[in-house]
Amino acid sequence: MISESVSVDRQARLLDGRPIAAALRDETADRLDRFRAETGMVPGLAIVLATADPASQVYSDRLVKTGRKLGFDCRVEAVEPATPATVHARIERLNRDDSVDGILVQMPLPAPMSVTDIATVISPQKDVDGISSVNVGRVAMGFPAFPPATPLGGFELLRRYGIPIAGQYCVVVGRSNVVGRPFASLMLGANATVTICHRRTPDLARFTRQADIVALAAGQPGLLTGDMIKPGAIVVDFGTTPTDDGLKGDADFESVARVASWLTPVPGGTGPMTNVVVLRQTLEAAFLRRGLQEE
Ligand code: ADP
């Protein structure tokens, strides 16, 4: 097998999200100081929590803590009971609230609600998590936008590690509106050639084996194994599935690390980028809403 023959001398380097996220936090804190000096105001982020899911609670608390440390005014807006009407009403109130620059609606929403229920409600100017149809559409058209935070974090990771994108062949596994599809748009915007695979793609390996860059957003632990990529490929894993063994990405880490040249660890790869991207976009929204340029 090809993967066996290269396994002897190749070990993937890690696309470690932690130092890059730390650098982004520092940059954001500096820019926030400038915003405060220019406006005398503090940028505000409201997190809408419409679920009792403990993982969502933990995620919200972590975002609030990070945001406050950097100088943001962060608050959690719990919606109880959560129905389409109450969630809509809360988002509309926050759309009008002048102290709020960014709105993040915590996913997953309680069934039967889904992201499509709020994609047209949230103001695109405050949509710092990039879930609104306007922002997803603008990203697809290559216009300035707030891209969805998770795929933008992965994209930033590639850029900050100096991974070439233009002219590269990128295969994205997963076509969700919050990860796979917008990541494909970002890569296309950076002049990669892009294929999107999904649940109905027969013979996934036929595509992934050709790719210079494989992006995984399927939520299927172990979906990509080392024999499914070409030697030296770059693998960006957005998968974060909780298992008895901890969080698992979509890549089978051991076998992929023997063949890839760069690989995101899970946890610690694309994950740490998401919060700081949300905060950076909140600051950008605050500048834009006041007609100021960030730099
Ligand atoms: P996320 O929010 O992380 O993007 P979703 O559950 O919304 O995850 O979407 C999962 C995506 O992954 C879907 O587009 C689905 O078609 C794709 N997918 C799931 N399983 C496979 C698979 N075995 N092979 C290829 N694509 C898959």
Side-chain angles (χ1 to χ4, degrees):
M1 260 166 66
I2 296 173
S3 59
E4 292 301 323
S5 65
V6 296
S7 65
V8 186
D9 56 3
R10 194 184 291 278
Q11 180 70 42
R13 279 168 289 176
L14 291 185
L15 288 164
D16 189 346
R18 286 162 290 205
I20 307 296
L24 268 173
R25 278 195 295 274
D26 290 347
E27 284 170 30
T28 305
D30 288 349
R31 286 189 193 156
L32 193 145
D33 284 347
R34 231 198 77 215
F35 177 81
R36 254 151 110 175
E38 281 187 25
T39 65
M41 286 185 266
V42 173
L45 172 67
I47 301 159
V48 177
L49 190 62
T51 164
D53 174 35
S56 296
Q57 187 78 52
V58 169
Y59 177 80
S60 297
D61 291 348
R62 200 177 297 156
L63 179 56
V64 167
K65 203 170 135 203
T66 309
R68 286 188 181 153
K69 218 186 278 173
L70 295 185
F72 288 84
D73 172 20
C74 290
R75 63 175 198 253
V76 174
E77 296 263 336
V79 184
E80 173 63 44
T83 67
T86 57
V87 173
H88 283 196
R90 184 67 60 94
I91 294 172
E92 272 155 8
R93 203 173 80 203
L94 295 168
N95 282 345
R96 290 190 302 268
D97 184 336
D98 198 46
S99 71
V100 173
D101 295 291
I103 303 169
L104 175 137
V105 181
Q106 192 65 66
M107 299 292 157
L109 287 164
M113 267 190 277
S114 79
V115 66
T116 48
D117 290 303
I118 54 162
T120 56
V121 181
I122 187 162
S123 160
Q125 285 75 30
K126 295 190 177 186
D127 174 29
V128 292
D129 197 24
I131 56 150
S132 74
S133 43
V134 169
N135 277 311
V136 177
R138 288 180 69 90
V139 174
M141 295 174 86
F143 292 171
F146 292 124
T150 298
L152 181 59
F155 182 73
E156 282 279 329
L157 207 52
L158 289 177
R159 291 221 305 210
R160 294 200 176 219
Y161 274 93
I163 306 289
I165 297 174
Q168 301 296 293
Y169 181 41
C170 176
V171 170
V172 181
V173 184
R175 59 178 160 181
S176 78
N177 284 327
V178 287
V179 190
R181 218 178 273 240
F183 187 76
S185 297
L186 291 168
M187 295 299 275
L188 194 58
N191 297 310
T193 302
V194 181
T195 296
I196 305 181
C197 299
H198 47 80
R199 218 182 288 276
R200 303 289 294 273
T201 303
D203 195 4
L204 182 63
R206 191 177 121 223
F207 297 92
T208 55
R209 268 191 206 117
Q210 308 294 318
D212 302 305
I213 301 171
V214 180
L216 300 166
Q220 303 287 325
L223 177 63
L224 188 85
T225 47
D227 58 321
M228 293 169 71
I229 58 170
K230 70 177 182 187
I234 293 151
V235 178
V236 183
D237 196 343
F238 292 105
T240 45
T241 307
T243 72
D244 293 343
D245 245 359
L247 275 192
K248 288 283 173 224
D250 292 345
D252 172 48
F253 191 85
E254 296 286 302
S255 66
V256 170
R258 270 185 240 127
V259 187
S261 61
W262 290 94
L263 169 63
T264 51
V266 176
T270 58
M273 299 291 289
T274 302
N275 274 353
V276 65
V277 165
V278 166
L279 293 166
R280 192 182 68 176
Q281 299 207 117
T282 300
L283 182 58
E284 203 179 320
F287 272 109
L288 287 171
R289 241 170 22 97
R290 289 166 183 84
L292 300 168
Q293 288 294 319
E294 248 204 298
E295 221 133 70

